[in-house]
Amino acid sequence: MDTGVGVMTNGEKARFTGTMLCGSIWACPTCSAIIRHERAHEVALAIGNHAEKLRKAAADQWQAEHEGQRLPPELMVSDSFGNYIFGTLTLRHDRTMPLAMTLDAILKGWTKMINGSPWQRASERWKIRGFVRAIEITYGVNGWHPHIHFVMFLDGDLDDGQREAMQQWLLDRWKTMVKRVAKAYKKKDGNPYNVAPNDEHGIDLQFKSGKDAGTAAAEYITKIQGDKGGVTLAQEIARGDIKNGRMGSVNPFQLLDSGCLGLSDFQREDLWLEYWQATLRRRCITWSRGLKEDMEVEELEDEELAEKADELPGLVGYVVPNRVYKDIRKSAPETLADALDAAEREDWQEVARLLPGGVILTDEQQDAIADGEAKPGDYLPTMSVMV
């Protein structure tokens, strides 16, 4: 029996269900969106739990000092608690630099920056409880541009002097570590690459307070493909799949679009293969040791998150025979993207036009699938099952 491929939407985002997922956060548009959505949810959960822990600690201290008195209203809710640093780290790059080298340099530079006794002392000085770090990669006129986004969880507020000192310390340490790593890379002529970040562009920090402060922190890079409205701090950290690059740059998935940046098909293919090879087996989003456990966030691998796709909320509005889906995936994959775009608008007639041979489901059929009483393929015409 044809199990069918369902087209599902939650009213905002759409996806296919009943398909095999590879679990690649870097190279698969479908899996990347699923994994990054879940990673963003993890960051949001951690921010909320962090704020609540700080609120509870403050409330317990107040009650210990004011035994028998009623807790002040500001200590009853956690919205105003929590201090966070949103940061971006970059390095110099140009078209002569292979992505494998710049990505390796930025990852090794980060690893060296957040290890050792100087980092431990800095964490104690500025009350850094932990961090989440994500890699974003774009491509533009200056070639590949890998960079780091991070959010640091602080257990206390910093005054202006402390913020200035922290920014300078982080910049100096970042520059030092990237220069140290860069010594290992040589051009074909034997000369070293200059990847050392400069003072102006090496680091960008924004200090935010409150568990919902991330929206403002992310606004300057919220030009997002297909995304409506603003982006939360959690999405800014995790959702590199939906960002447009700035100043004429594109994200790697856009390189798959014909005519992207005026590149030929051969050039785009070479760039995509370079990207795929450079990111293979790399970790995109990481947490500092112990932070997930401390913030009560479950530890799941990317592949496990991809497997949870069919558990995500939403209703199947259309089901198409497997053979039709497979044929279109091979011959005109962009049509699948168009179908998802139509499904986000809940334009099921357009979905049916793009993916012929399927069935627009009734409300009762949608509910039956959501309740586990039926599968999408159960509603396919008998003819499509027999072909």
Side-chain angles (χ1 to χ4, degrees):
M1 179 178 180
D2 193 333
T3 56
V5 173
V7 185
M8 173 182 282
T9 183
N10 62 2
E12 295 181 356
K13 297 294 182 184
R15 67 183 186 279
F16 293 107
T17 183
T19 57
M20 183 176 293
L21 299 174
C22 64
S24 173
I25 193 172
W26 295 107
C28 174
T30 299
C31 290
S32 180
I34 294 168
I35 295 167
R36 290 176 184 273
H37 179 276
E38 290 300 297
R39 294 299 185 205
H41 175 71
E42 290 177 343
V43 176
L45 176 62
I47 290 173
N49 288 345
H50 178 238
E52 176 58 21
K53 287 176 182 290
L54 294 177
R55 184 206 66 80
K56 188 175 186 304
D60 290 345
Q61 181 178 347
W62 191 94
Q63 288 181 323
E65 297 172 353
H66 303 80
E67 186 175 353
Q69 297 185 38
R70 183 180 177 83
L71 198 66
E74 62 269 19
L75 294 180
M76 294 182 181
V77 293
S78 60
D79 290 5
S80 61
F81 284 85
N83 295 281
Y84 309 95
I85 298 174
F86 174 83
T88 301
L89 296 170
T90 63
L91 42 66
R92 292 179 189 269
H93 61 285
D94 60 48
R95 296 179 74 98
T96 69
M97 298 179 182
L99 176 58
M101 185 272 288
T102 52
L103 183 57
D104 195 41
I106 206 165
L107 288 171
K108 288 183 177 179
W110 169 267
T111 299
K112 289 182 177 295
M113 189 183 82
I114 53 96
N115 280 286
S117 55
W119 177 259
Q120 292 177 352
R121 290 193 296 270
S123 296
E124 294 173 1
R125 178 182 178 186
W126 291 305
K127 302 178 183 178
I128 302 173
R129 177 175 287 220
F131 58 80
V132 185
R133 182 232 71 189
I135 302 296
E136 182 182 6
I137 299 174
T138 57
Y139 182 85
V141 293
N142 293 318
W144 291 109
H145 180 208
H147 43 289
I148 286 173
H149 293 307
F150 63 83
V151 57
M152 290 182 180
F153 293 62
L154 306 183
D155 282 343
D157 196 7
L158 304 178
D159 60 31
D160 290 343
Q162 290 173 313
R163 293 180 180 187
E164 184 177 344
M166 184 182 193
Q167 172 143 346
Q168 189 60 52
W169 186 89
L170 283 173
L171 176 60
D172 291 343
R173 185 162 175 81
W174 174 240
K175 288 167 60 179
T176 298
M177 295 310 168
V178 171
K179 287 179 181 178
R180 189 174 299 175
V181 168
K183 294 178 181 179
Y185 303 100
K186 304 291 183 182
K187 300 179 183 179
K188 292 181 179 179
D189 61 8
N191 292 318
Y193 284 103
N194 181 19
V195 299
N198 58 31
D199 290 352
E200 183 179 359
H201 301 295
I203 188 170
D204 176 71
L205 296 185
Q206 296 185 39
F207 297 84
K208 301 294 175 179
S209 299
K211 69 174 185 177
D212 296 323
T215 300
E219 282 182 351
Y220 78 107
I221 39 177
T222 56
K223 302 299 182 184
I224 290 177
Q225 291 179 339
D227 202 68
K228 286 80 177 173
V231 192
T232 64
L233 174 59
Q235 290 173 324
E236 169 58 25
I237 291 298
R239 302 261 0 234
D241 62 312
I242 54 177
K243 297 176 189 173
N244 281 317
R246 290 173 291 172
M247 298 179 66
S249 61
V250 297
N251 71 52
F253 290 129
Q254 290 174 285
L255 288 172
L256 300 175
D257 296 335
S258 179
C260 178
L261 296 179
L263 299 168
S264 69
D265 291 348
F266 293 110
Q267 289 173 317
R268 292 187 300 105
E269 181 178 352
D270 286 345
L271 288 170
W272 177 260
L273 288 175
E274 181 184 1
Y275 166 75
W276 175 76
Q277 291 170 344
T279 56
L280 192 63
R281 290 185 289 275
R282 303 260 196 187
R283 295 189 70 86
C284 180
I285 301 171
T286 60
W287 296 56
S288 56
R289 186 178 293 109
L291 183 61
K292 271 194 172 182
E293 181 179 1
D294 192 18
M295 294 298 117
E296 302 174 40
V297 176
E298 186 179 5
E299 187 70 49
L300 293 172
E301 295 297 324
D302 288 349
E303 293 78 5
E304 294 177 282
L305 291 177
E307 290 173 359
K308 292 174 60 178
D310 288 342
E311 301 174 13
L312 297 176
L315 292 174
V316 177
Y318 185 78
V319 58
V320 61
N322 277 299
R323 59 179 177 79
V324 174
Y325 174 84
K326 292 178 180 178
D327 288 345
I328 294 176
R329 187 185 63 188
K330 292 178 181 179
S331 62
E334 65 277 7
T335 300
L336 299 180
D338 292 338
L340 291 181
D341 184 61
E344 288 182 3
R345 304 190 306 271
E346 298 188 43
D347 186 350
W348 300 112
Q349 293 294 337
E350 177 65 4
V351 174
R353 185 188 71 79
L354 293 165
L355 307 177
V359 175
I360 297 175
L361 301 180
T362 65
D363 291 345
E364 291 76 13
Q365 291 170 333
Q366 293 180 17
D367 291 340
I369 294 173
D371 294 338
E373 299 171 357
K375 296 180 179 180
D378 294 345
Y379 301 112
L380 285 171
T382 305
M383 185 66 69
S384 68
V385 175
M386 296 176 61
V387 172

